[in-house]
Amino acid sequence: MRTDQADPTRRPTSTLPATVPVAVVGAGQSGLAAAYHLRQAGIRCVLLDAGDEVGETWERRWDTLRLFTSAQFSGLPGLPFPGDAARYPGKDEVSAYLREYAERFDLPVLTGHRVLSLRRDGDGYLLTTAGGECRAGQVVIATGAFGAARVPDFAAGLSPDVPTLHTSAYRSAAQVPPGTVLVVGDGNSGRQIAAELSETHSVVLSCGEAVSPPLPQTVVGRDMFWWMSVLGVMSLPVNMQAPDPVVGDRVPGLVAAGRIRTVGRITSAEGAELVAADGERVKPSAVIWATGYLTDWSWLDPEMLDEEGQPRHTEGTGVLPGSHYLGLYRMRTRGSALIGFVGRDAERAAAAITAAATPTTPAATPEGEPS
């Protein structure tokens, strides 16, 4: 059964079902892609999301955030990202696209249903949410790669008189007091924010020991991700991946122009100063922590976790039968956590779920009788 268009006679799910064949935890890009493929296969599911609306997490990012993948490589299965394929969409466009995607394919999203615990229950799973309990035969954990803000332990040594923001709370340069701002972390987020702040502030960017290799957004008129796809880089297994590149990086030019100064990796904080690995000290008027995220998996069944509290899985297939993961950083390939590439993993998970849900036909004897 195909469901390329929404069924006008089907009403959106508004209450938590007592039982469902498949529960998808998270209605971000990964969860939506999984639900799409499950509906294509005729498998009933429900998506449980903690937010008030689809796309909410994107709306909370900083105002000028743009994807480093062009629109051509930012769509989910069945619905290309709208507009000029060569442009780089902003965060509000992504949020609107995800809402349109859920509506277009009539995906059964339950917002405001944070999953508080997920436990093995007989041959299925029991999910306890803020709105009640639900039993599912199989589960897809698609809560994504961005959890709680990660701030280094040494930040506790920084004087409370120095304003700080994690990238998850940063919205615009207007939040940052005048003077010198130190951006700690030089991945895509750190460099984008440093470049933005260089227009209004004196910026110092702390770079790690292994500086991410910069890549242009286009090469010979083609998007970098076109080249990476054609050359098979986006499909390489995780054990063959090089460090993540910074795409479309303006920082080298801004450094050359004297608008951004770089220091080494920050390793400690002493009062109003932060200290780099080589001993250099920086006394900023504000600090932006571009230091990534931590994910709390304590709500999962302990059997699903390893000794370090991380999910036990092989390329997204959980250690417990009927459990699947999507959207984890480099879960299978470089694209496992990217909006335009997560559909591959979602299709693979949906196929496994469909196979497990389909009764096996008894083999026949040579005489045509069931064996």
Side-chain angles (χ1 to χ4, degrees):
M1 179 182 71
R2 295 191 62 82
T3 54
D4 289 322
Q5 298 296 326
D7 179 358
T9 66
R10 185 174 180 274
R11 295 291 182 265
T13 304
S14 58
T15 57
L16 185 68
T19 61
V20 69
V22 182
V24 180
V25 184
Q29 58 224 34
S30 303
L32 294 175
Y36 170 87
H37 282 297
L38 289 170
R39 291 210 65 194
Q40 297 295 296
I43 302 292
R44 190 164 62 89
C45 68
V46 65
L47 295 96
L48 306 174
D49 196 85
D52 293 329
E53 63 177 347
V54 173
E56 183 179 274
T57 55
W58 282 96
E59 290 183 344
R60 292 200 298 263
R61 305 304 296 276
W62 70 89
D63 296 346
T64 61
L65 181 149
R66 292 199 169 273
L67 298 182
F68 54 78
T69 52
S70 64
Q72 178 185 0
F73 297 101
S74 300
L76 293 176
L79 184 66
F81 204 98
D84 182 0
R87 69 194 177 87
Y88 294 88
K91 56 102 175 180
D92 290 338
E93 295 176 90
V94 177
S95 178
Y97 169 78
L98 294 179
R99 286 194 293 272
E100 167 64 19
Y101 191 87
E103 294 170 4
R104 173 74 63 91
F105 299 112
D106 200 17
L107 302 180
V109 178
L110 279 179
T111 56
H113 280 69
R114 179 182 296 278
V115 176
L116 305 176
S117 70
L118 188 161
R119 296 290 183 268
R120 186 73 170 152
D121 182 46
D123 59 355
Y125 295 87
L126 174 65
L127 297 95
T128 302
T129 81
E133 293 184 341
C134 174
R135 283 176 170 79
Q138 301 189 69
V139 291
V140 178
I141 296 101
T143 50
F146 302 102
R150 177 187 175 275
V151 176
D153 292 340
F154 66 74
L158 185 64
S159 168
D161 294 332
V162 180
T164 64
L165 278 176
H166 186 269
T167 52
S168 60
Y170 175 81
R171 297 292 177 270
S172 72
Q175 292 173 280
V176 183
T180 298
V181 56
L182 172 64
V183 179
V184 182
D186 69 328
N188 280 289
S189 295
R191 293 197 182 194
Q192 278 194 30
I193 291 173
E196 174 176 293
L197 288 172
S198 71
E199 299 177 6
T200 54
H201 293 72
S202 173
V203 176
V204 178
L205 176 64
S206 167
C207 301
E209 293 175 350
V211 178
S212 300
L215 287 178
Q217 287 189 307
T218 59
V219 174
V220 196
R222 292 278 194 176
D223 185 279
M224 176 53 66
F225 283 89
W226 183 88
W227 289 105
M228 293 172 74
S229 297
V230 167
L231 296 173
V233 174
M234 299 305 295
S235 301
L236 287 176
V238 289
N239 62 354
M240 295 180 65
Q241 297 286 352
D244 281 343
V246 176
V247 182
D249 185 17
R250 294 172 52 206
V251 166
L254 293 170
V255 170
R259 293 174 56 187
I260 290 179
R261 183 170 72 87
T262 60
V263 297
R265 181 172 57 90
I266 299 296
T267 57
S268 64
E270 299 175 7
E273 295 183 324
L274 291 103
V275 186
D278 62 2
E280 183 174 358
R281 291 174 174 267
V282 182
K283 189 175 183 179
S285 58
V287 176
I288 305 294
W289 299 112
T291 45
Y293 294 81
L294 294 172
T295 303
D296 176 17
W297 298 107
S298 63
W299 54 278
L300 291 180
D301 192 311
E303 291 186 55
M304 302 172 77
L305 305 176
D306 63 20
E307 296 79 6
E308 297 179 353
Q310 298 300 306
R312 297 166 61 198
H313 70 93
T314 301
E315 296 188 342
T317 301
V319 68
L320 295 185
S323 65
H324 304 268
Y325 297 86
L326 285 176
L328 301 182
Y329 174 68
R330 290 197 176 188
M331 187 183 77
R332 295 184 63 238
T333 68
R334 186 186 293 277
S336 287
L338 298 182
I339 185 170
F341 297 90
V342 71
R344 301 173 181 177
D345 290 350
E347 183 176 19
R348 181 174 179 269
I353 290 169
T354 302
T358 303
T360 303
T361 302
T365 64
E367 295 74 25
E369 298 296 327
S371 58

